[in-house]
């Protein structure tokens, strides 16, 4: 298998990622998962808007991070509808035309997460409020003549009643069992495959939102990490690498030097990497087990040490950022700092130079990088070299 290069544009670094295909990474299997029972439901428009206003329907969003040009927020990254398209959607409802169904996921607290239909729902919410998100009045212009110039407030009583009582069909998914959330993750990858593609991490920040996802975002702002990685990544690749390093530090902590214990190996890490990261967010999402302050200090100190050892190139492998190399080296350093093990910058510099020339290690960070043998091969090698 060959390496896959993740390149966004000239303003962000090249990142060599796992060699699984995107379909494999998102788990787009041919059979429908039994853990995703669903049913059809009809929601009246007024009820949908009320639920949105009451935060009973969730459209997950994440901060656009450091880059000024990261202007698209939210779970679904397709292009935001133009004003004429928004007006045509409202017009279709007022004229009684059919509109596409929306997909909702029932959350553990009973609220609905929007899986597909963000633009339709936000358009309705904006029209009812009387203004676009940027503050412009929501006035119908590019529509049928008898609707031109209308706002929600100026609609006739009959038109307003017709709009309020119009039903929009929804497919409501109720995840069940231990694999329910992961099945939703795979389903969204399938639903989204025909539009602007999402990365695995973009899906994660919505489905597994919570304290740990917020904490990863905070770590992503660390000055030394930003120096090592470069410009913020539009598709959250930097967030994913931080998550991987934190997760691998936890794997090393579970193994605790018992690299040949098969039971521990199976328990600590189960491939593929994408699902392992999902499971890590699922089980540690509330930060109840992880020591937030200690982990923050360990991450910051590890990144600073890498910069001191090799400057901006502290995490590069073969001239580029390599996800597998990063999770091994940075994960090991985080583990060391968490457990009071002192690692000098000279040790780091010598170790990285040795790893870059180690044929076995090169293979573990270049081929089948998600496989258990590759993961433990690189973690064991990096840990032995850095920690002794």
């Amino acid at each position: 298998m060959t390496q896959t290069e993740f390149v966004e544009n000239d303003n962000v670094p090249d990142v060599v990622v796992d060699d699984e295909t995107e379909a494999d990474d998102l788990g787009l299997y041919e059979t429908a998962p039994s853990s995703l029972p669903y049913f059809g439901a009809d929601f009246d428009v007024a009820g949908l808007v009320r639920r949105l206003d009451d935060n009973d329907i969730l459209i997950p969003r994440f901060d656009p991070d450091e880059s000024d040009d990261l202007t698209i927020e939210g779970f679904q990254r397709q292009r935001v509808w133009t004003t004429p398209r928004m007006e045509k959607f409202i017009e279709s409802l007022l004229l009684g035309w059919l509109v596409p169904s929306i997909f909702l996921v029932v959350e553990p607290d009973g609220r609905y997460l929007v899986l597909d239909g963000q633009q339709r729902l936000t358009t309705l919410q904006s029209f009812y409020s009387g203004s676009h998100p940027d503050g412009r009045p929501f006035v119908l212009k590019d529509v049928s003549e008898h609707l031109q110039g209308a706002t929600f407030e100026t609609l006739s009583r009959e038109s307003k009643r017709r709009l309020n009582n119009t039903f929009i069909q929804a497919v409501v998914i109720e995840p069940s069992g231990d694999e329910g959330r992961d099945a939703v993750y795979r389903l969204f990858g399938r639903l989204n495959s025909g539009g602007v593609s999402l990365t695995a991490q973009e899906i994660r920040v919505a489905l597994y939102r919570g304290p740990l996802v917020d904490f990863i975002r905070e770590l992503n702002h660390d000055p030394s990490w930003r120096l090592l990685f470069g410009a913020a990544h539009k598709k959250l690749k930097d967030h994913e690498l931080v998550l991987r390093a934190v997760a691998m530090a936890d794997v090393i902590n579970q193994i605790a030097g018992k690299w040949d214990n098969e039971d521990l190996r199976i328990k600590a890490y189960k491939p593929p990497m994408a699902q392992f990261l999902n499971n890590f967010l699922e089980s540690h999402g509330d930060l109840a087990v992880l020591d937030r302050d200690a982990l923050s200090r360990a991450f910051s100190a590890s990144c600073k040490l890498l910069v001191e050892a090799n400057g901006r190139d502290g995490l590069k492998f073969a001239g580029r950022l390599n996800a597998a190399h990063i999770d091994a080296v940075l994960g090991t350093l985080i583990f060391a700092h968490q457990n009071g093990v002192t690692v000098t910058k000279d040790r780091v510099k010598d170790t990285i130079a040795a790893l870059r020339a180690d044929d076995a290690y090169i293979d573990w960070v270049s081929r089948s990088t998600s496989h258990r043998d590759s993961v433990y091969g690189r973690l064991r090698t990096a840990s032995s070299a850095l920690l002794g």
Side-chain angles (χ1 to χ4, degrees), residues 41-53 57 89-100 102 120-129 152 155 159-170:
D42 292 332
F43 290 89
D44 63 284
V45 167
L48 284 172
V49 174
R50 186 189 69 252
R51 287 178 170 87
L52 284 165
D53 291 340
I57 293 180
F89 175 70
I90 298 298
E91 179 191 33
S92 295
L93 293 173
L94 288 169
L95 296 178
W97 290 96
L98 291 176
V99 297
I102 60 177
R120 279 157 277 169
L121 293 176
T122 54
T123 295
L124 284 172
Q125 191 176 30
S126 295
F127 184 64
Y128 270 66
S129 72
F152 176 73
L155 286 175
S159 294
K160 192 177 294 185
R161 184 182 302 115
R162 183 183 303 114
L163 180 60
N164 285 336
N165 294 334
T166 295
F167 286 96
I168 291 181
Q169 293 181 329

Side-chain angles (χ1 to χ4, degrees), residues 56 68 139 142 170 179 203 239-240 267 295 307 312 339:
D56 287 332
D68 292 336
V139 181
D142 189 19
E179 297 182 358
I203 299 176
H239 292 240
E240 181 175 337
K267 179 182 177 182
L295 186 53
V307 172
R312 293 176 180 270
N339 289 274

Side-chain angles (χ1 to χ4, degrees), residues 171-311:
V171 176
V172 181
I173 301 165
E174 290 188 290
S176 64
D178 295 337
E179 297 182 358
R181 187 73 67 91
D182 193 60
V184 173
Y185 168 88
R186 298 197 303 269
L187 175 63
F188 187 80
R190 177 177 292 278
L191 288 176
N192 190 70
S193 62
V196 178
S197 61
L198 291 167
T199 64
Q201 187 65 16
E202 288 178 301
I203 299 176
R204 285 189 194 104
V205 297
L207 287 183
Y208 300 95
R209 68 191 185 283
L212 180 53
V213 167
D214 294 338
F215 179 56
I216 295 298
R217 185 184 299 120
E218 292 174 16
L219 294 182
N220 192 51
H221 287 263
D222 180 82
S224 295
W225 168 249
R226 294 266 45 103
L227 193 65
L228 291 166
F229 184 90
H233 205 284
K234 285 185 176 182
K235 290 183 173 290
L236 307 187
K237 193 61 195 177
D238 41 3
H239 292 240
E240 181 175 337
L241 293 181
V242 173
L243 172 62
R244 281 179 65 145
V246 169
M248 286 302 153
D250 185 68
V251 169
I252 298 171
N253 191 58
Q254 293 182 59
I255 294 295
K258 300 176 182 179
W259 296 102
D260 295 321
N261 187 314
E262 189 62 21
D263 290 337
L264 284 177
R265 286 162 59 96
I266 293 173
K267 179 182 177 182
Y269 172 77
K270 180 180 179 181
M273 180 65 70
Q275 187 168 346
F276 166 73
L277 295 177
N278 292 349
N279 293 340
F280 186 80
L281 285 173
E282 179 78 29
S283 58
H284 295 84
D286 58 2
L287 284 177
V289 177
L290 300 176
D291 187 331
R292 178 192 181 100
D293 293 337
L295 186 53
S296 180
R297 290 192 298 269
F299 179 82
S300 181
S302 299
C303 291
K304 184 178 180 181
L305 184 59
L306 286 162
V307 172
E308 291 174 348
N310 281 321

